[in-house]
Amino acid sequence: MLHIERLTASVGDKTILDGLDLDIAAGEIHAVMGPNGAGKSTLSNVLAGRDGYTTTGTVTFEGGDLLALTPEERAAKGLFLAFQHPVEIPGVGNMYFLHTALNAIRLVRGQPEIGAVDFLALAKEHMARLDMDPAFLSRSVNEGFSGGEKKRNEILQLSLLEPRLAILDETDSGLDIDALRVVGEGVERLRHPERSMLIITHHPRLLEFVRPDRVHVLQAGRIVRTGDHHLARELEAVGYGAAAAR
Amino acid sequence: MSDVVDILVEREYAYGFHADLETELAPKGLDEDVVRLISAKKQEPAWLLEWRLAAFRHFLTLEEPTWPNVHHPPIDYQDMHYWAAPKPKGPAPKSLDEVDPQIRAEFDKLGISLAEQERLSGVAVDAVMDSISVATTFKAKLAEAGVIFCSFSEAVREHPELVRRYLGSVVPFRDNFFAALNSAVFSDGSFCFIPAGVQCPMELSTYFRINAAETGQFERTLIVAEEGASVSYLEGCTAPKRDENQLHAAVVELVALDDASIKYSTVQNWYPGDADGKGGIFNFVTKRGRAGNRATISWTQVETGSAITWKYPSVILQGDDSVGEFYSVAVTTHHQQADTGTKMIHIGRNTTSTILSKGISAGHAQNTYRGLVKVLRSATGARNHTRCDSLLIGPDCGAHTFPYIEVKNDTAQVEHEASTSKVSDDQLFYCRQRGLTEEDATSMIVNGFCREVFDELPMEYAVEAQALMRLTLEGAVG
Amino acid sequence: MTATPAGLLDRLVPPSPPSPRAERGRDWLAAHGLPTTRDEAWRYTPVDDIVGALEAAAPAPASTSQVSRSVVDALAGDHGGPRLVFVNGVFEPRASDAGGAVDGLWLGNRDGMRARPPSPRAAEDQPADGFQALNWAAGRDVAAVLVEPGAQLDQPVHVVHIAAPGEDTTANHPRTVVLAGPGSRVHLIESYVGLPGPSVTNASTRIVAGAGSTVTHHRVQDEAAAAIHVGRTAIDQGARSTLRATSIMTGGHIARSALAIGFDGTDACADIDGLYLPLGHQHHDNVVTVDHRASHCASTQRFTGIVDDHGRGSFSGHVLVRHGTTGTDAHQSNRNLVLAPTAQADTRPWLEILADDVRCTHGATVGRLDDDALFYLRSRGIPLEQGRAMLVAGFAAEIIDAITPATLRDRVAAAFAAGRGG
């Protein structure tokens, strides 16, 4: 599904990712954990195609060169990024935005458009599962949302857009325990043999609700250790420095 | 981003056709004889001719203003026609069925089917081509409510006492260069009168169309809402693509007596010129309303057309507790220049005004907000809130914000806030990550940016305005 | 601009101007004249009254017998560092303390400047307006502050311009030049003060902040009640320079202060504060232009006006972002408090943006004291008038508290309190 080889990324003369290797097979959930400044957000930005990074190395997604694609082409191929800080877009209704995005992606996939009425029903069904008030749909995208509401809105989009690879960038930060459970259960429900997930996080909190197949430790721009979900516990117990040294 | 700029630059004007209608033209040039000719053609009473001549003589003493932030080659006021009328093929139409089919076809092409408007949409339309009103729909139904909605010429014939009382009462011909010019040579326009206590039973609308070449268009709109009356009025404007610049100098006067309410919406889409800035309408318009006690005047405008736009829809808040509003979206692309805004003159006590302006500039365009909030000594308890936001698309355009705030009352509260920025990279990336193309994302963000203003338009036109915005911004893509 | 009567020129300008700059000023003035209120930048300035006073004025006498050190201390304060005193635009060494011992600092006047190599820029300068042209043509001296590259000056340099009128209205044209070398740090205080009587002060200041320099500039206009003041301060900033500028207006009858800041190099920043307090029939007019002609510069304007009695306070702020620049950050705010039914506040916070990679905001408010805040204070037992005074002081505090050194801050606070009857 995703194959990353010797990926480097730099901004100006500052190297942030420094020869990162990572393989994610279909249906797997991987967690990348690391201290602040390890390059976690850069990894998600580079995979989603944000401007401003100079990269070397290869990233293959579904058999094609990911780095050559525009952000919207990556989205259409099934790559989804749940943002750490979802941006506010004043005046653009959440429902209108989601509906447009879904149909843009369906168009590229050769699927028929979904009409407004059907979409509304679909959105409400997904929202109910995430314990979201339908009033969210009539508000502007992320505008005036609390931190928790923004994160839930990201998971709602994740569940509606049905991506092949979902990257969750610090989705657990800023959530209280109840919101964390709702988000975690939402993610767990989206587990599917054809869908992979990459959970990028500083804390192992979300991993109490979502059990990853593999856990990687990211430090100074590369993966320094890989293990199963027990590694997350270990990190919590002894910290990044000690865990990485083993 | 450069893709978007390219697409903006390739934007096509959808209303650029012109009809080969037979047109009656006055000779080029401007002098007293032309003023007399126009008045005679319209069989006007002597008092109106005298008023025109007084305006013309005053016009001769004025110079074209140079303070607006727009640049254009000098306008030769002698090198254009001041009278152009679709030549009537017989006596004036008594009903829609009698309107020249070719003219009807022209309006159909613009998406303003006069017959359909009458049958379906429940919006009364006055259609004005080359300054001459060609048809007014729904007259009978409006008459039942006591509402007068007709062409300006008809109003001069049928309701001279009303016209005489209010003409020039808000925008005197001495007001400015273009108002004086219009007062001297205006050819037609719309007249609305809503008697005391009447809520106008439907939206009123005028579509202005310039068709003839080398012709200036000078129409005049006068709306009077008597005590406690209310009306919502919309004007739309288009013109053919022509290489030369054409002058449009209109005057709009609104009179809202005590407790009356007038909502005036504009969707202005005159031909903006081509991608190199050739051709297009010079749009120099004076719009002003006077609000009585507890009256409300609300201007909403969506300005996407014209090579040059110069207009400042204003409200004189004369009555106590009167309310003035100005909601504006101005989009400029290519080499368009817009210098637009408002004046809110607070005279009465506890008067309130709200200004919300959204400017979007792309290509090589220059977009200026110019606004005056003036609180006179008498305006105890006056309040104003102003917000002006500008959005820039591409490195070669400009956005300018020139507010003037003058306060002479110590109980007034005036707040002004403004921002200028480009379309946010974060917003674009977020939309693209969800699968939208850069163009769609830009269009969506820009429409969102304008949303609060679109929300002020009558429902029927909000959709039209959004579509127009998308067309303006997407051009070839749409 | 109107043509200026030749008589005015001849009366105010010496027949044979003493320098090429003076000659340029005279030529420019003869060609373009003085501005009028039809000139946009002078819209809120009672130019006719100023020109009228100039027409009635005589060149100020150079007599300085009234001005001793203690008079200067009383009028402008002693802020610890070296002090240059000019009376009616002419250097007064007896009241000055040129501080020759400070490392990396050269202070002087025209005589001293003539001994130094001329600035390469000086030959191309053109006046920005008629008043500056008149300043060049009629000025008799110049205050010069030259800071060597890399010099770090700990104590403020104080330039005091005193108007000392005689019986009739007198006109004087002080000029100040400050060159802060690359990497230097300097704190400049310019005081405009005067003895009682009718005077017209037409001041021009030029500050060049070299690359990487840090310049603090406080300009205080606290002239006598009958004084007319027209001042222009132009500050050109080199790359990576930092400017903190403050303009305080408390004195004068009609006073205008124009501040023009231009970024000549990238990554520079400017913080510009202003406070004006027209009382009685005073008219205080502020004109601020920030020209972002280089990329990646940041500017912030904070101007506060408190207008009372028959006073009129005006603010015209203009942010210009030039075509081809990127990464501009510009913010502008103007808050006004109108305290009397006969007072007037005008504000024009302008943005002129010709590039798209910008973040610009501005805000302006004109209003009265917050009733809720006043009620809160009264409910805590503070009498109405005292509560009002507290809130008015609070409105000005943002600007006053940021003034350095403390001696200057206290002086401004005292002038503020005195004007408010406190």
Side-chain angles (χ1 to χ4, degrees):
Chain A
M1 165 95 43
L2 182 73
H3 176 72
I4 303 176
E5 207 172 313
R6 292 195 308 279
L7 177 67
T8 73
S10 49
V11 174
D13 51 11
K14 190 173 175 233
T15 301
I16 303 167
L17 296 182
D18 190 11
L20 183 140
D21 297 308
L22 185 64
D23 264 296
I24 303 179
E28 289 183 352
I29 296 185
H30 287 225
V32 168
M33 305 182 64
N36 288 327
K40 300 192 299 293
S41 285
T42 298
L43 177 61
S44 61
N45 282 334
V46 166
L47 292 178
R50 190 189 279 267
D51 284 345
Y53 297 96
T54 312
T55 57
T56 67
T58 56
V59 179
T60 313
F61 177 56
E62 299 269 53
D65 178 6
L66 183 72
L67 298 180
L69 303 179
T70 64
E72 58 268 32
E73 287 166 343
R74 298 179 201 208
K77 276 195 85 168
L79 186 146
F80 179 93
L81 171 61
F83 286 78
Q84 182 182 359
H85 302 292
V87 68
E88 301 186 356
I89 310 180
V92 175
N94 212 15
M95 152 125 183
Y96 171 58
F97 172 72
L98 282 171
H99 187 201
T100 309
L102 181 60
N103 277 334
I105 288 174
R106 289 178 69 90
L107 186 71
V108 175
R109 291 178 185 165
Q111 297 166 328
E113 286 198 357
I114 291 184
V117 176
D118 291 344
F119 175 78
L120 187 60
L122 183 70
K124 283 191 170 156
E125 183 189 319
H126 284 261
M127 291 176 83
R129 284 207 289 265
L130 286 167
D131 200 15
M132 287 174 79
D133 185 339
F136 268 77
L137 286 176
S138 52
R139 289 162 67 178
S140 292
V141 178
N142 293 325
E143 196 182 32
F145 287 24
S146 70
E149 288 171 337
K150 283 182 180 171
K151 295 296 170 72
R152 270 189 227 197
N153 197 31
E154 294 293 288
I155 301 304
L156 171 66
Q157 296 180 35
L158 166 57
S159 78
L160 274 168
L161 297 178
E162 301 185 325
R164 302 292 315 278
L165 171 66
I167 303 166
L168 280 66
D169 188 0
E170 304 275 3
T171 297
D172 49 352
S173 69
L175 293 185
D176 62 32
I177 187 69
D178 292 333
L180 192 67
R181 178 178 292 111
V182 170
V183 167
E185 288 169 359
V187 171
E188 190 59 49
R189 214 169 19 242
L190 291 166
R191 198 192 271 271
H192 186 276
E194 288 301 310
R195 178 173 300 131
S196 311
M197 295 199 212
L198 176 58
I199 297 172
I200 294 175
T201 185
H202 178 75
H203 300 290
R205 294 172 51 197
L206 184 60
L207 305 182
E208 289 167 24
F209 300 96
V210 184
R211 172 175 289 197
D213 299 303
R214 308 294 290 162
V215 173
H216 311 273
V217 178
L218 179 67
Q219 221 167 17
R222 62 178 83 183
I223 304 284
V224 294
R225 201 174 154 202
T226 295
D228 61 13
H229 66 271
H230 296 295
L231 178 55
R233 292 265 163 73
E234 187 188 331
L235 286 169
E236 190 170 34
V238 303
Y240 286 108
R246 290 188 197 184
Chain B
M1 204 66 225
S2 66
D3 297 352
V4 177
V5 176
D6 289 348
I7 281 153
L8 291 174
V9 166
E10 282 162 25
R11 160 193 173 191
E12 278 288 325
Y13 186 67
Y15 306 97
F17 54 84
H18 72 275
D20 286 320
L21 294 168
E22 259 197 272
T23 305
E24 188 183 351
L25 278 178
K28 276 186 181 177
L30 180 58
D31 56 22
E32 279 204 17
D33 288 343
V34 169
V35 176
R36 286 176 197 280
L37 174 85
I38 293 168
S39 189
K41 282 275 177 202
K42 303 176 71 62
Q43 300 168 323
E44 285 176 355
W47 64 265
L48 189 50
L49 174 63
E50 284 311 314
W51 192 75
R52 284 177 181 274
L53 289 172
F56 179 71
R57 286 166 197 146
H58 182 68
F59 170 74
L60 293 178
T61 68
L62 301 176
E63 281 178 29
E64 196 181 317
T66 55
W67 50 262
N69 188 24
V70 297
H71 305 278
H72 56 82
I75 298 169
D76 184 349
Y77 291 92
Q78 297 304 332
D79 190 32
M80 66 177 95
H81 300 284
Y82 285 84
W83 168 261
K87 203 173 255 176
K89 295 180 175 168
K94 292 196 178 54
S95 75
L96 264 189
D97 300 336
E98 292 177 25
V99 172
D100 183 338
Q102 208 183 342
I103 291 177
R104 282 177 60 171
E106 170 98 351
F107 277 95
D108 283 350
K109 226 155 134 193
L110 294 168
I112 309 147
S113 166
L114 298 175
E116 291 226 335
Q117 292 278 358
E118 172 136 315
R119 254 200 338 272
L120 298 174
S121 65
V123 176
V125 175
D126 183 26
V128 176
M129 186 176 305
D130 292 338
S131 317
I132 298 299
S133 175
V134 293
T136 309
T137 64
F138 271 117
K139 270 180 138 166
K141 181 155 185 207
L142 289 168
E144 279 172 34
V147 173
I148 302 169
F149 180 42
C150 62
S151 74
F152 206 93
S153 309
E154 188 179 329
V156 170
R157 282 196 308 275
E158 307 292 329
H159 311 282
E161 71 297 338
L162 287 176
V163 175
R164 197 169 181 178
R165 188 185 317 161
Y166 293 110
L167 176 69
S169 68
V170 186
V171 181
F173 63 71
R174 292 179 182 281
D175 193 75
N176 69 70
F177 180 85
F178 294 108
L181 176 62
N182 173 286
S183 301
V185 302
F186 74 91
S187 33
D188 208 339
S190 285
F191 176 80
C192 314
F193 177 83
I194 299 90
V198 172
Q199 319 291 306
C200 186
M202 65 187 74
E203 300 274 340
L204 302 184
S205 167
T206 299
Y207 266 88
F208 293 102
R209 171 75 176 163
I210 296 178
N211 193 52
E214 299 184 302
T215 304
Q217 173 133 340
F218 307 94
E219 76 273 341
R220 234 183 140 91
T221 301
L222 174 58
I223 299 177
V224 179
E226 283 195 330
E227 289 81 354
S230 75
V231 62
S232 169
Y233 178 95
L234 181 123
E235 61 168 359
C237 327
T238 58
K241 276 173 152 172
R242 296 190 189 279
D243 282 349
E244 87 265 21
N245 295 114
Q246 278 180 281
L247 177 65
H248 174 251
V251 170
V252 175
E253 295 181 275
L254 309 184
V255 180
L257 300 182
D258 292 354
D259 301 296
S261 146
I262 301 176
K263 181 174 178 61
Y264 192 105
S265 312
T266 302
V267 177
Q268 186 266 105
N269 189 26
W270 295 122
Y271 178 51
D274 69 10
D276 300 320
K278 191 166 192 203
I281 303 296
F282 289 171
N283 192 34
F284 299 102
V285 174
T286 305
K287 293 182 165 177
R288 191 174 307 149
R290 200 179 64 234
N293 292 320
R294 297 168 302 281
T296 297
I297 289 179
S298 176
W299 297 100
T300 304
Q301 60 175 24
V302 176
E303 304 277 322
T304 61
S306 297
I308 293 176
T309 296
W310 177 103
K311 64 181 268 199
Y312 313 93
S314 305
V315 184
I316 300 170
L317 297 151
Q318 194 167 43
D320 292 349
D321 302 294
S322 56
V323 176
E325 295 170 335
F326 175 75
Y327 302 100
S328 172
V329 166
V331 190
T332 50
T333 66
H334 298 319
H335 290 265
Q336 278 179 282
Q337 306 174 63
D339 192 314
T340 185
T342 184
K343 293 182 201 171
M344 294 289 174
I345 312 296
H346 291 259
I347 300 171
R349 295 163 155 266
N350 300 318
T351 45
T352 307
S353 64
T354 303
I355 299 171
L356 178 60
S357 163
K358 302 279 183 173
I360 298 128
S361 201
H364 290 86
Q366 299 296 328
N367 202 324
T368 300
Y369 167 81
R370 188 185 300 275
L372 170 67
V373 174
K374 192 166 191 158
V375 178
L376 300 190
R377 199 132 278 163
S378 53
T380 299
R383 275 168 192 276
N384 162 270
H385 184 266
T386 299
R387 206 170 91 229
C388 304
D389 296 323
S390 302
L391 203 56
L392 294 149
I393 303 176
D396 298 319
C397 55
H400 316 295
T401 314
F402 297 151
Y404 298 74
I405 299 166
E406 302 176 5
V407 178
K408 294 191 186 186
N409 186 294
D410 63 333
T411 60
Q413 297 272 42
V414 178
E415 285 171 43
H416 171 100
E417 53 184 325
S419 71
T420 303
S421 59
K422 61 176 179 176
V423 174
S424 137
D425 288 339
D426 284 344
Q427 291 176 350
L428 270 180
F429 181 65
Y430 188 83
C431 293
R432 293 177 73 189
Q433 210 300 306
R434 296 298 182 256
L436 300 181
T437 63
E438 191 170 3
E439 294 75 41
D440 285 345
T442 304
S443 171
M444 186 182 271
I445 292 164
V446 171
N447 261 308
F449 175 77
C450 302
R451 170 77 163 274
E452 292 158 279
V453 175
F454 290 157
D455 284 350
E456 294 297 325
L457 285 171
M459 185 70 99
E460 299 88 322
Y461 300 103
V463 178
E464 185 181 329
Q466 285 207 34
L468 184 60
M469 280 288 295
R470 203 151 29 236
L471 188 74
T472 305
L473 287 166
E474 292 180 15
V477 171
Chain C
M1 303 228 177
T2 58
T4 302
L8 180 63
L9 262 179
D10 291 340
R11 199 145 36 76
L12 294 176
V13 179
S16 60
S19 73
R21 177 181 294 277
E23 207 135 349
R24 277 208 305 287
R26 191 186 168 96
D27 291 348
W28 199 96
L29 191 58
H32 303 285
L34 292 168
T36 73
T37 47
R38 293 179 71 90
D39 294 302
E40 196 59 47
W42 297 81
R43 181 184 168 103
Y44 294 136
T45 312
V47 166
D48 292 348
D49 295 347
I50 300 172
V51 174
L54 272 176
E55 280 170 350
S63 145
T64 57
S65 56
Q66 302 152 283
V67 178
S68 63
R69 274 170 185 272
S70 60
V71 168
V72 179
D73 284 349
L75 288 172
D78 178 351
H79 304 299
R83 184 164 80 183
L84 290 180
V85 176
F86 288 71
V87 178
N88 291 335
V90 176
F91 187 47
E92 174 46 70
R94 283 169 295 172
S96 299
D97 172 12
V102 179
D103 246 10
L105 174 68
W106 186 91
L107 298 174
N109 71 332
R110 173 170 286 171
D111 299 338
M113 286 288 277
R114 287 207 169 125
R116 297 176 64 94
S119 148
R121 250 197 246 229
E124 309 152 22
D125 270 5
Q126 283 297 327
D129 57 53
F131 283 98
Q132 195 181 24
L134 179 62
N135 172 282
W136 289 5
R140 291 187 288 193
D141 206 342
V142 56
V145 179
L146 310 182
V147 186
E148 299 286 333
Q152 307 292 305
L153 305 185
D154 293 323
Q155 290 192 311
V157 178
H158 193 187
V159 177
V160 185
H161 290 290
I162 301 174
E167 291 281 299
D168 303 319
T169 301
T170 56
N172 58 86
H173 308 273
R175 189 158 79 89
T176 306
V177 175
V178 181
L179 300 177
S184 65
R185 180 161 57 84
V186 60
H187 182 165
L188 183 82
I189 301 168
E190 258 191 293
S191 294
Y192 290 89
V193 294
L195 300 172
S199 62
V200 181
T201 297
N202 172 31
S204 169
T205 297
R206 169 69 170 273
I207 299 174
V208 178
S213 63
T214 303
V215 175
T216 303
H217 177 239
H218 290 314
R219 184 186 204 276
V220 181
Q221 184 280 113
D222 190 21
E223 292 182 352
I228 290 177
H229 180 94
V230 180
R232 183 171 196 282
T233 307
I235 306 178
D236 294 329
Q237 289 190 245
R240 301 175 313 283
S241 61
T242 301
L243 170 71
R244 248 202 65 72
T246 304
S247 169
I248 306 289
M249 288 216 259
T250 48
H253 170 52
I254 296 168
R256 181 186 201 267
S257 166
L259 190 55
I261 289 158
F263 293 109
D264 289 328
T266 61
D267 301 290
C269 69
D271 277 305
I272 309 138
D273 283 359
L275 179 66
Y276 47 104
L277 310 158
L279 290 160
H281 284 86
Q282 284 180 312
H283 185 153
H284 287 163
D285 185 21
N286 299 271
V287 180
V288 186
T289 309
V290 181
D291 186 347
H292 283 264
R293 52 193 182 232
S295 293
H296 299 287
C297 293
S299 67
T300 303
Q301 297 171 42
R302 294 189 304 180
F303 275 71
T304 296
I306 299 173
V307 294
D308 206 344
D309 302 339
H310 294 267
R312 181 172 180 190
S314 310
F315 169 81
S316 303
H318 191 177
V319 171
L320 174 60
V321 180
R322 301 268 184 173
H323 184 223
T325 58
T326 60
T328 293
D329 215 321
H331 304 280
Q332 184 186 49
S333 87
N334 175 225
R335 304 186 307 140
N336 292 280
L337 202 50
V338 183
L339 295 174
T342 44
Q344 175 169 359
D346 316 298
T347 171
R348 286 189 297 174
W350 282 16
L351 299 175
E352 190 169 0
I353 317 288
L354 292 156
D356 70 332
D357 186 12
V358 298
R359 234 189 39 205
C360 299
T361 61
H362 65 189
T365 59
V366 180
R368 51 183 167 170
L369 285 179
D370 181 348
D371 287 337
D372 292 341
L374 198 55
F375 177 73
Y376 184 83
L377 293 180
R378 295 175 75 185
S379 74
R380 295 292 176 270
I382 297 166
L384 177 64
E385 280 316 311
Q386 194 184 343
R388 240 190 249 280
M390 283 170 75
L391 291 177
V392 172
F395 196 78
E398 178 188 42
I399 306 295
I400 293 178
D401 290 351
I403 295 173
T404 52
T407 47
L408 183 64
R409 183 179 63 229
D410 294 347
R411 251 195 112 69
V412 171
F416 174 76
R420 307 233 52 80

